[in-house]
Amino acid sequence: MSNPDELLRIEGVRKAFPGVVALDGVDFDLRGGEVHVLLGENGAGKSTLIKMLSGAHRPDGGRIFVRGREVRINGAQDAERLGIATIYQEFNLVPDLTVAENIFLGRQPRRFGLIDRRRMEADAEVLLRRVGLHVSPRARIRELGIARLQMVEIAKALSLDARVLIMDEPTAVLTSEEVDKLFRIVRQLRADGVGVVFITHHLEEIAALGDRVTVLRDGRSIDQVPASTPEAELVQLMVGRSIDQQYPRERPGTGDPLLSVRGLTRDGVFHDVDFDVRAGEVVGLAGLVGAGRTEVARAVFGADPYDRGTVEVLGERLAGHDVTAAMDAGIGLVPEDRKGQGLVLDASVQENLGLVTLRSASRSGLVDLKGQRAAAARIAEQLGVRMAGLGQHVRTLSGGNQQKVVIGKWLLADTRVLILDEPTRGIDVGAKVEIYQLINELTASGHAVLMISSDLPEVLGMSDRVLVMSQGRIAGELPAHVATQDAVMALAVGTPPTTTTTTTKTATAEPAANEEESPRGH
């Protein structure tokens, strides 16, 4: 007999794709007025499960019940009719339409056969107030930031009168303040009787928001535990082993500067940026969102122009705005947007791994395909890429495995200086530790890493030195032994801490442009 509070129940659901069993007998249930966390490594089956509930995939076996009645979800309209709404990591919004038009897209109220814009905007206003978003219903979606887009998606779900709300990594790109606001809204939805399926890789969020946790591993539901379960136990359930050190930084000692940046300036974006990265060293680049970290990295790599300053590798000055010159000198960049900038999604694993070395592997215009395949196989095995084979499309890999492919192409090129921009965003704890071990292997072999991250514990745990940017400038430098979250934040908002071991530039001792935006202090 089903629980009267039960909104959703899944029994023994199975789903297979060519060469991969994505779900293998998964059980899950959701009650009204609870937040049920779905936890697992990348590739554990979470995405397949929620796509099944949203109508994007059909199960090969098993049963789905909504309010005690067995149902078949054959498409998005079925899910909508059953009161199930899903908010994906990649928002399903139309940039050139207004907020109101996006909320009621395909369901616009009509009067005399025409869209009743006044009623649509009034109804949108009510929904926006409910989620605490103070923005005009007439505003264009393209004018809004990530946090506001998240709220529009929630308002859209509420417009469907959804009783089951699935949220896939909703905090991945939000600042700490934005996360707090989102949590307040989720708690209110819970109080209103909505059942929330919450997917996150940030373990500290589970106890703060969740009621129960279902852990998936290798397509199976391993266990269901209270949200108060210690993080170490959750990790062991996820990965099937204990992880003794979350940030296993090995410091082999540093050598001569591999990368030297002097006076780098792009007017209006970043100014007078100086730093070195030495052989065997990880240098962290921290700061508020919009401080200029990514812009500096792209300029060093030659992807974007700069107005003044120099970039040198092993004492040799590089031409500005020349990616080929940077790559030839041994600089690699793993971009923040791995899907949009780091990968060719419809190409295979082998083709993506060979992108950087394609030119050097060609003779008389012909590519050494056999050599490329052997090299790709070697690096994929070294990185532990989980795949059906080298011919598998990168689009179908989990986020953690996609990131390994992005890093792998630079390892194949024997990159001297690897710039990592948000290297573990959206990646589970097991895959994170594997990437940290790769960083250790790189520095142990005499390479250098410049790591940009908004995850402060990650920066502090993996960096030998931390450079903090504020307002487009280097506000200060913190050696690992004195770097703390408070010290980083003080520099980031323009109030340098009083310590003799911190180097600061007084030109940056001014208020931050937007103190609401802060690095995630997980």
Side-chain angles (χ1 to χ4, degrees), residues 49-274:
L49 183 60
I50 65 173
K51 285 179 180 177
M52 195 172 294
L53 292 173
S54 64
H57 293 326
R58 297 183 190 181
D60 298 330
R63 307 166 78 191
I64 300 175
F65 297 85
V66 174
R67 297 186 184 93
R69 182 170 60 90
E70 186 170 2
V71 299
R72 294 184 183 276
I73 306 175
N74 295 320
Q77 289 185 333
D78 284 349
E80 180 180 316
R81 178 174 49 80
L82 292 165
I84 300 172
T86 303
I87 300 174
Y88 293 102
Q89 290 185 57
E90 290 83 18
F91 300 135
N92 189 24
L93 299 170
V94 182
D96 289 323
L97 296 184
T98 67
V99 169
E101 288 167 337
N102 270 276
I103 289 175
F104 292 103
L105 189 62
R107 303 172 291 110
Q108 299 94 330
R110 293 183 177 272
R111 189 180 185 203
F112 306 124
L114 300 175
I115 293 174
D116 187 345
R117 301 195 69 84
R118 180 178 294 180
R119 179 182 161 195
M120 180 174 69
E121 290 171 359
D123 290 349
E125 185 79 56
V126 172
L127 291 165
L128 293 172
R129 280 202 302 270
R130 187 176 172 190
V131 300
L133 179 56
H134 304 291
V135 65
S136 169
R138 301 183 184 90
R140 300 281 171 186
I141 285 294
R142 66 169 62 257
E143 299 168 3
L144 306 183
I146 293 292
R148 289 181 170 184
L149 294 179
Q150 188 84 259
M151 301 309 169
V152 172
E153 284 278 22
I154 295 174
K156 183 177 176 181
L158 295 179
S159 76
L160 299 168
D161 195 26
R163 304 307 297 163
V164 174
L165 180 59
I166 303 169
M167 307 184 79
D168 185 11
E169 290 286 345
T171 65
V173 293
L174 301 184
T175 65
S176 298
E177 289 77 9
E178 291 164 350
V179 169
D180 291 341
K181 183 177 180 181
L182 176 67
F183 279 14
R184 286 196 296 272
I185 292 167
V186 173
R187 291 185 184 110
Q188 183 58 55
L189 292 172
R190 177 170 58 188
D192 293 341
V194 175
V196 180
V197 180
F198 196 88
I199 298 174
T200 183
H201 288 313
H202 299 301
L203 298 183
E204 76 283 354
E205 295 177 354
I206 295 173
L209 188 66
D211 297 299
R212 291 187 292 159
V213 181
T214 288
V215 181
L216 299 186
R217 187 169 77 230
D218 297 329
R220 297 181 178 90
S221 41
I222 298 300
D223 204 351
Q224 187 181 106
V225 296
S228 58
T229 302
E231 289 185 13
E233 188 175 330
L234 292 175
V235 169
Q236 187 154 2
L237 286 171
M238 283 172 62
V239 303
R241 66 186 190 280
S242 63
I243 292 179
D244 299 324
Q245 286 184 284
Q246 191 173 357
Y247 303 106
R249 176 66 184 138
E250 299 169 5
R251 295 181 167 85
T254 58
D256 296 330
L258 295 184
L259 173 68
S260 296
V261 175
R262 295 289 180 269
L264 204 66
T265 300
R266 183 177 178 185
D267 293 332
V269 181
F270 52 83
H271 313 276
D272 195 26
V273 172
D274 293 348

Side-chain angles (χ1 to χ4, degrees), residues 348-355 357-358 361 367-382 387-393 412:
S348 68
V349 172
Q350 177 181 330
E351 289 165 335
N352 273 277
L353 285 170
L355 285 174
T357 55
L358 192 61
V367 179
D368 178 10
L369 292 177
K370 185 177 180 181
Q372 284 279 85
R373 181 174 182 82
R378 174 176 55 79
I379 207 73
E381 182 179 1
Q382 178 187 336
M387 58 183 179
L390 289 172
Q392 183 176 349
H393 281 191
L412 271 177

Side-chain angles (χ1 to χ4, degrees), residues 270-289:
F270 52 83
H271 313 276
D272 195 26
V273 172
D274 293 348
F275 63 87
D276 293 322
V277 186
R278 297 175 176 274
E281 183 177 44
V282 177
V283 174
L285 194 56
L288 304 179
V289 174

Side-chain angles (χ1 to χ4, degrees), residues 292-304:
R293 298 167 302 167
T294 292
E295 290 79 3
V296 167
R298 287 178 56 84
V300 169
F301 183 61
D304 292 339

